[in-house]
Amino acid sequence: MRPHHIRDVLFTADQIERRVNELVDEMASACRTDNFVMIGILRGSFMFLADLVRDLYQHDVHPRIDFVTLESYYSGTESSGAVHVAKDISMDISDATVILVDDILDTGRTLSFATKHLLDKGARSVRSCALLDKPSRRVVACEADFVGFKVEDYFVVGYGLDYDSHYRELPYIAKVMFT
Ligand code: IMP
Ligand code: MG
């Protein structure tokens, strides 16, 4: 038995799918540019980004796609504070209109670091899309341009989000209880 378990589904697969559709309706017009790039922050964004781009395709939006691996969290739920690039994007984003995609906006350190990092690499503009937002946890002033759902200060997993590398595969989002 793991010393933690899943409790309380917060968002079902159906709810997530509907919200992704709405988000794409909101963001599609911002994506209609020649040099449009979507960059996912690994690893938590992989499922969300995959759903976003398939839906954007229905709106005739065709981004280039890349990923950046950022690390700040140690194993467990406490952040170390510092963010660093573990694996950088490999494409040239000079002059690109970028939408950065992350799983959850928590303290704000990751998204603010990533935004600056991509502007430093020459992006024309960087907007951000976070599946989840925990406003009560913010340490760095940072808001996402597009947000899926606001959540209370629970540790949540599923649909890409992990606890200690587990639960990313869940098609829904749930709370983790620590026993
Ligand atoms: P921030 O830099 O504190 O905003 O943290 C963002 C990163 O922390 C996210 O990309 C997640 O990887 C991780 N994180 C924060 N809260 C949670 C959570 O409730 N569940 C899983 N991962 C989380
Ligand atoms: Mg994580």
Side-chain angles (χ1 to χ4, degrees):
M1 263 280 269
R2 293 173 183 166
H4 44 88
H5 57 273
I6 299 300
R7 268 271 302 277
D8 298 349
V9 173
L10 291 178
F11 305 107
T12 64
D14 278 355
Q15 284 174 305
I16 295 168
E17 188 184 338
R18 261 178 276 142
R19 188 65 191 123
V20 167
N21 288 343
E22 289 171 3
L23 277 177
V24 166
D25 289 343
E26 280 176 45
M27 74 172 67
S29 63
C31 305
R32 283 185 216 296
T33 114
D34 284 347
N35 192 355
F36 175 56
V37 177
M38 290 186 83
I39 296 179
I41 300 178
L42 289 177
R43 294 178 287 273
S45 71
F46 77 98
M47 208 177 275
F48 183 38
L49 180 64
D51 283 344
L52 287 172
V53 295
R54 279 180 293 189
D55 220 61
L56 281 165
Y57 172 83
Q58 305 298 333
H59 288 69
D60 202 22
V61 172
H62 308 284
R64 289 189 293 145
I65 298 168
D66 204 348
F67 295 92
V68 59
T69 305
L70 299 180
E71 287 175 354
S72 64
Y73 268 55
Y74 291 124
S75 180
T77 61
E78 280 310 303
S79 167
S80 63
V83 180
H84 71 275
V85 178
K87 187 170 182 297
D88 211 345
I89 56 168
S90 45
M91 66 173 56
D92 178 9
I93 58 164
S94 310
D95 250 358
T97 301
V98 173
I99 292 192
L100 192 52
V101 178
D102 202 4
D103 54 354
I104 185 164
L105 180 51
D106 188 36
T107 64
R109 289 189 184 109
T110 302
L111 204 57
S112 62
F113 176 93
T115 303
K116 181 174 180 306
H117 178 66
L118 298 178
L119 287 170
D120 288 348
K121 285 184 157 275
R124 176 191 297 261
S125 69
V126 178
R127 267 172 293 200
S128 53
C129 177
L131 173 68
L132 302 175
D133 183 6
K134 274 191 210 170
S136 63
R137 294 261 308 163
R138 210 75 89 244
V139 171
V140 175
C142 176
E143 296 307 323
D145 297 281
F146 306 97
V147 170
F149 303 101
K150 287 208 160 116
V151 287
E152 305 288 315
D153 184 13
Y154 308 120
F155 200 80
V156 297
V157 294
Y159 195 68
L161 291 107
D162 74 306
Y163 169 67
D164 205 11
S165 297
H166 292 285
Y167 306 120
R168 293 192 196 276
E169 77 284 9
L170 301 178
Y172 54 84
I173 294 168
K175 289 186 211 173
V176 182
M177 303 303 287
F178 300 93
T179 48

